[in-house]
Amino acid sequence: MVQGRVRTVSTICALVMIITACGGGESGDAAASEGDDVAVTTTAGAEMATPTIPDDPGTAAPAETAVEEDSNAGLESYATVTIGDQTWEFAPTGFMAERCDTDFFGGYWVLFTTGVTILLPGPNWEEQGVDQTPNIEVKLDDESVEWIADPDTGLPGVAAGQSQIDSFEFEGGRASGTATFVEANAAYAGTVEPVTGSFEAYCAPEE
């Protein structure tokens, strides 16, 4: 009987130890799980606490600067004359006798060997002793035609007002105006027929 009880107690103790051991495993797993949760939370917190470095103000893109373009940049000297319904354009050839002078004693002077002369007086020409009326001459060698707007032309049969510059202005490198022209051959033939027109010129700055 004593041996039977001892075996029974031993069996009970063994069962208790097994149950206890199983319970201890569950507690360990729970603790491990709780430990994992804490580790994840700590990591997340560290990531959230990472400071944000502001942009370096020195690397900011510079403000755009408006550049004012010169409308005459790259433009070469020229002269354009319109008489009636015809227009001619002239440019210098580089010949040493040519002129494109925006301050000829205060006046404006264009002389291109391609066939045009424009002379506009300055405001103080009389005071400076310059005796010259404003005038334009367009000489078209290919057509054997010569148009003149000059009150001092001396062409036969040309009355006052039939050959002259009617209006003009110039500032900087530009000049423009209107004129009344007569054709030289027609004047010599006694068939003067005045024709109105306009002109424009530009003298590029010397480099």
Side-chain angles (χ1 to χ4, degrees), residues 11 83 88 91 95 110 130 134 147 161 176 178:
T11 302
I83 302 174
W88 296 273
F95 185 64
V110 172
V130 180
W147 291 97
S176 61
T178 60

Side-chain angles (χ1 to χ4, degrees), residues 101-109 120-125 128 130 168 170:
D101 193 340
T102 61
D103 189 16
F104 180 64
F105 294 97
Y108 193 99
W109 183 25
L120 306 176
N124 300 317
W125 271 21
Q128 298 180 68
V130 180
F168 70 89
F170 59 88

Side-chain angles (χ1 to χ4, degrees), residues 13-89:
C13 289
L15 292 172
V16 170
M17 292 177 65
I18 293 171
I19 293 170
T20 302
C22 293
E26 291 178 358
S27 298
D29 292 342
S33 299
E34 290 176 1
D36 292 342
D37 291 342
V38 172
V40 171
T41 302
T42 302
T43 303
E47 292 178 353
M48 293 176 63
T50 302
T52 301
I53 300 175
D55 294 336
D56 184 357
T59 61
E64 292 185 4
T65 303
V67 178
E68 198 173 310
E69 295 185 1
D70 183 0
S71 60
N72 296 326
L75 192 61
E76 297 181 351
S77 300
Y78 73 89
T80 301
V81 180
T82 298
I83 302 174
D85 58 359
Q86 289 186 289
T87 299
W88 296 273
E89 296 182 358

Side-chain angles (χ1 to χ4, degrees), residues 109-135:
W109 183 25
V110 172
L111 171 60
F112 295 160
T113 56
T114 46
V116 65
T117 300
I118 302 173
L119 183 61
L120 306 176
N124 300 317
W125 271 21
E126 291 185 7
E127 297 177 8
Q128 298 180 68
V130 180
D131 184 17
Q132 180 66 58
T133 56
N135 64 84

